[in-house]
Amino acid sequence: MSDRAKIFGDIRRALGVTGNEDARRRAVAARFAATPEGVVPARGQTADPAALFRAEAERVFATVEHVTTAAEIPARIADFLRARNLPPRLRKGEDLYLAALPWTAATLTLDAGPAQADDVVSLSHAFAAIAETGTLALVSGRDNPTTLNFLPETHIVIIEAGRIVGNYEAFWEMLRAAYGEGAMPRTVNFITGPSRSADIEQTLLLGAHGPRTLHIIIVDAPS
């Protein structure tokens, strides 16, 4: 018996239940069905989540640009890398949205799979973004491996404007709707600006625990 099973067994014996009582199951189901909504800050109820997201993301040292259509993304990435004297090489996962982009139009080399120690630039496709804090929400998996969020010093993230929501409550509703009842991704990573720390003498240091640079491309057209 595992330690977890032993702990739950001790709790059931102390309560005098088995865990299979119909009344208890109905009570739990009713509690979940009637869960009250939390208080949403006024800022999270914005009428223009894309504009607020950009402002908040830039406030925490991310760089942000808009494109009209997804077809513009490869050329914009190439321009971004060239302007910062970065190598024209990207590491990305198996995300179908990214795979469908016209990469042949840009002089970029694409590597697939989880990030490696020598990768300089990574590319991810965010599941959603939260406007009230300028935060990207990425789910883990082969499409967008979590290592892309942490290992390379420069992280480029694509997000469609229609998937930017005002607040965290709206994000969780979107996630539950996408995955269905009883299913969730293994990991949800919230990214608010590039990695930074002020632990040492309150001096801000970028790239302390992850990417030094976070560049976000917002696609205005729906996917």
Side-chain angles (χ1 to χ4, degrees):
M1 178 183 293
S2 68
D3 291 340
R4 180 176 183 274
K6 184 178 183 303
I7 291 171
F8 279 117
D10 291 343
I11 293 173
R12 292 191 185 99
R13 282 191 295 274
L15 294 174
V17 299
T18 66
N20 294 317
E21 292 82 0
D22 288 341
R24 291 174 63 85
R25 289 182 175 276
R26 287 196 299 271
V28 171
R31 177 67 179 270
F32 278 122
T35 300
E37 294 184 2
V39 177
V40 177
R43 185 171 63 179
Q45 301 178 47
T46 174
D48 191 350
L52 177 59
F53 169 77
R54 177 167 188 164
E56 290 299 309
E58 291 178 337
R59 187 174 64 84
V60 291
F61 309 112
T63 55
V64 185
E65 66 174 307
H66 282 258
V67 297
T68 303
T69 65
E72 302 170 55
I73 292 174
R76 291 294 189 92
I77 291 177
D79 290 342
F80 172 83
L81 298 179
R82 191 180 304 112
R84 286 155 182 80
N85 200 30
L86 291 168
R89 193 179 195 104
L90 296 169
R91 172 75 65 173
K92 70 177 187 64
E94 300 176 6
D95 189 272
L96 295 179
Y97 182 93
L98 298 180
L101 299 179
W103 294 108
T104 54
T107 54
L108 296 171
T109 300
L110 300 176
D111 298 315
Q116 304 300 309
D118 58 348
D119 287 333
V120 178
V121 184
S122 62
L123 175 66
S124 298
H125 179 209
F127 176 85
I130 299 98
E132 66 173 305
T133 53
T135 300
L136 294 161
L138 292 93
V139 298
S140 63
R142 296 174 66 92
D143 288 352
N144 293 279
T146 295
T147 51
L148 300 178
N149 309 341
F150 296 101
L151 289 180
E153 285 211 341
T154 297
H155 189 196
I156 301 173
V157 181
I158 311 301
I159 178 68
E160 301 98 307
R163 300 193 68 82
I164 303 175
V165 297
N167 52 73
Y168 285 87
E169 287 77 6
F171 160 71
W172 288 113
E173 288 181 7
M174 179 187 291
L175 188 72
R176 293 186 188 103
Y179 280 81
E181 185 176 352
M184 291 288 277
R186 181 182 179 90
T187 305
V188 176
N189 290 293
F190 290 122
I191 299 175
T192 308
S195 172
R196 59 201 181 278
S197 174
D199 291 344
I200 302 174
E201 297 183 351
Q202 300 300 297
T203 300
L204 185 64
L205 174 67
L206 295 180
H209 311 293
R212 184 184 300 273
T213 300
L214 174 65
H215 184 62
I216 304 168
I217 300 178
I218 300 174
V219 185
D220 291 329
S223 57

